[in-house]
Amino acid sequence: MTIQEPLPAVDAQPLADPVPLTGCPYKADPYPLYERMREAGPVHRVLFPSGVQAWLVTGYDAAHAALNDDRLGKNHDRGNDRWRARASIMPEPQHSQLQVHLLHQDPPKHTHMRHFVTDAFTPRRVEQLRPRLQELADALVDALPAAGPTDLVAGFAAHFPFRVLAEVVGLPAESAARFDRDWGKVVQPVGPTDPGRPLYEARLQGLQSYIAEVVTHKREHADDDLLSRLVAARDQGELSQEELDSMIFQLLVAGQEPVTNQITTALIALFRHPDQLARLRDDPALMPRAVEELLRHDSAFELTTWRFFDQDSELHGSEIPAGDSVIVSLCAANRDPRRFDDPDALDLDRSPNPHLAFGHGIHFCPGAALARAELQIALGTLLRRLPGLHLAIDDDDIEWIPAVLGRGTNRLPAGYDRRL
């Protein structure tokens, strides 16, 4: 149900210009700030920790429109010098070799590249994989301590999405065993003068070498799987080497780290609502609808990646210079009271639930069906096999990841009575 009447202002204090999206309070709970921003208008200039300024879209209707606005392109070549001076964090040659994946392409190139991956993630294919995904989840729970507490990230959430991904894309077992989860941190910006820059570049080079080894292996041991098809497309001239490497980069990083984070945000939401946790544990048939609500309530994809106008343009009353970055806040849109009744509440019965957790339009997440199945299986398995599951630290002690675009935690200590 959509609420039509105007809403009262949340806070009369004017917002800064640009609005800083920084600090622990913001990362722990960005929703009060998003509420103020929505009420002040749909588009605001914001400042990220790296010094990048961007235009943030916050309301549901404005976000939906921006995600479908064909004036807004994703290719980094559209960015102006002001944006490029701060935002081109990944050094060369890796930027040119790993950043031409689907998230940074526009039609017709985006359409051409996307068709190589969609068959691997269709709902029908995902349903066929469910028994195997359940085996993977159960194996991880089998390895947890017989009784809590334990860290559910280290023991489960950090591994389950990657093991699923390896199965789906055809990553060889020996390659999967050598994957370093820290490589996924290369999507978290580390500026050129940051003390952590050498470690960042080492991770980046390690991941690039790993991708090269995977390509070589799949070329020599081709099979009927996604990675083999991508390598064959490169060898047949349908993809460039940079496009191949970038698509594998996107699969290995964007294909698993957000699901890890979404498992953690979903668990935290349930820990904060123990009555809902108990209800979901006792009624597994509720799981598909519950997952949609958990995705809406606190999405691991907090913000989208950059979009750009190729000429000075108007966006919901704001004049946006050509080449400035435009970002959509999916989390802010998903808590908009003009679209969702009582948006801050966790309502497992919410229906319909047109959330934007997977984006919308041509860049809608191609792995959405797989992510939904992973979340249903992960949460169902943990609730079923770990009776008494609860957060084992104070809520204030949860350390949220410092990623600019995402939400989640790298550590989630949880207690439980016993492992079934």
Side-chain angles (χ1 to χ4, degrees):
M1 175 181 176
T2 302
I3 298 176
Q4 300 293 341
E5 63 269 18
L7 298 160
V10 176
D11 192 328
Q13 182 179 356
L15 290 162
D17 183 23
V19 179
L21 301 184
T22 59
C24 292
Y26 164 72
K27 288 309 299 180
D29 184 8
Y31 294 103
L33 177 60
Y34 290 155
E35 187 176 4
R36 292 181 58 206
M37 294 173 75
R38 278 195 311 265
E39 292 313 307
V43 180
H44 298 272
R45 187 159 45 190
V46 295
L47 176 66
F48 290 107
S50 62
V52 173
Q53 290 193 22
W55 298 86
L56 190 70
V57 182
T58 57
Y60 183 93
D61 289 342
H64 190 278
L67 294 171
N68 291 278
D69 192 334
D70 58 12
R71 298 176 302 159
L72 284 165
K74 300 275 280 184
N75 194 305
H76 283 187
D77 290 344
R78 284 171 165 249
N80 56 33
D81 291 341
R82 184 172 56 255
W83 172 81
R84 200 176 310 281
R86 293 280 189 176
S88 296
I89 300 297
M90 188 176 287
E92 294 295 355
Q94 285 84 9
H95 185 274
S96 298
Q97 295 169 351
L98 298 178
Q99 292 290 287
V100 290
H101 47 69
L102 289 172
L103 280 174
H104 299 158
Q105 297 291 352
D106 301 316
K109 176 65 73 174
H110 174 267
T111 309
H112 171 73
M113 293 173 64
R114 186 177 173 106
H115 93 271
F116 288 108
V117 304
T118 50
D119 284 350
F121 301 106
T122 62
R124 180 179 179 181
R125 169 71 173 143
V126 170
E127 287 305 308
Q128 293 172 340
L129 287 169
R130 272 186 181 266
R132 177 57 181 153
L133 305 191
Q134 185 63 62
E135 290 177 1
L136 295 173
D138 280 323
L140 285 167
V141 174
D142 288 342
L144 294 177
T150 193
D151 179 5
L152 288 182
V153 176
F156 186 90
H159 304 288
F160 178 61
F162 185 74
R163 293 188 183 186
V164 168
L165 186 72
E167 291 271 339
V168 173
V169 305
L171 187 65
E174 59 272 24
S175 297
R178 291 191 301 103
F179 186 85
D180 184 348
R181 184 176 173 240
D182 278 350
W183 289 335
K185 296 177 181 177
V186 298
V187 297
Q188 300 176 13
V190 177
T193 61
D194 192 291
R197 183 69 172 192
L199 178 58
Y200 170 84
E201 294 189 358
R203 286 171 174 159
L204 189 58
Q205 292 161 8
L207 178 57
Q208 191 171 31
S209 296
Y210 178 85
I211 291 171
E213 292 170 11
V214 168
V215 169
T216 298
H217 181 95
K218 299 307 289 189
R219 183 171 284 124
E220 296 173 352
H221 304 87
D223 205 343
D224 183 22
D225 57 55
L226 176 56
L227 289 177
S228 295
R229 290 194 292 273
L230 291 175
V231 172
R234 161 69 185 100
D235 293 347
Q236 294 163 11
E238 298 180 81
L239 291 173
S240 69
Q241 186 65 48
E242 292 77 17
E243 290 166 351
L244 170 64
D245 291 348
S246 293
M247 291 177 77
I248 296 175
F249 170 84
Q250 183 183 10
L251 285 168
L252 295 180
V253 177
Q256 55 103 10
E257 194 69 17
V259 181
T260 292
N261 291 335
Q262 192 68 65
I263 292 172
T264 68
T265 60
L267 286 170
I268 290 169
L270 291 171
F271 291 153
R272 290 172 171 172
H273 300 82
D275 55 332
Q276 302 279 39
L277 185 154
R279 183 177 173 218
L280 186 56
R281 181 196 60 221
D282 297 339
D283 184 9
L286 183 60
M287 185 61 74
R289 190 164 69 239
V291 162
E292 297 308 307
E293 174 66 352
L294 290 163
L295 284 162
R296 182 205 68 83
H297 183 74
D298 202 8
S299 175
F301 272 119
E302 183 175 351
L303 310 175
T304 64
T305 52
W306 322 106
R307 284 171 164 80
F308 311 91
F309 289 112
D310 60 6
Q311 56 186 324
D312 294 352
S313 302
E314 185 272 340
L315 184 67
H316 301 291
S318 294
E319 293 297 324
I320 313 295
D324 271 16
S325 57
V326 176
I327 295 176
V328 177
S329 174
L330 303 177
C331 282
N334 286 337
R335 296 278 190 104
D336 190 341
R338 294 176 178 86
R339 187 63 186 86
F340 300 98
D341 284 331
D342 198 6
D344 293 327
L346 181 67
D347 179 5
L348 302 189
D349 291 315
R350 192 182 298 275
S351 181
N353 193 346
H355 64 75
L356 301 177
F358 294 114
H360 205 273
I362 65 170
H363 289 283
F364 180 81
C365 176
L370 179 63
R372 285 183 162 111
E374 289 179 83
L375 290 166
Q376 293 168 15
I377 291 169
L379 296 175
T381 304
L382 293 170
L383 294 182
R384 182 180 70 254
R385 296 196 54 195
L386 304 178
L389 188 64
H390 63 277
L391 186 63
I393 58 174
D394 289 339
D395 192 284
D396 291 343
D397 291 333
I398 296 172
E399 296 180 6
W400 294 88
I401 59 174
V404 172
L405 305 180
R407 283 184 59 70
T409 180
N410 286 325
R411 182 174 173 269
L412 189 60
Y416 49 92
D417 300 336
R418 64 193 184 282
R419 170 173 49 80
L420 299 179

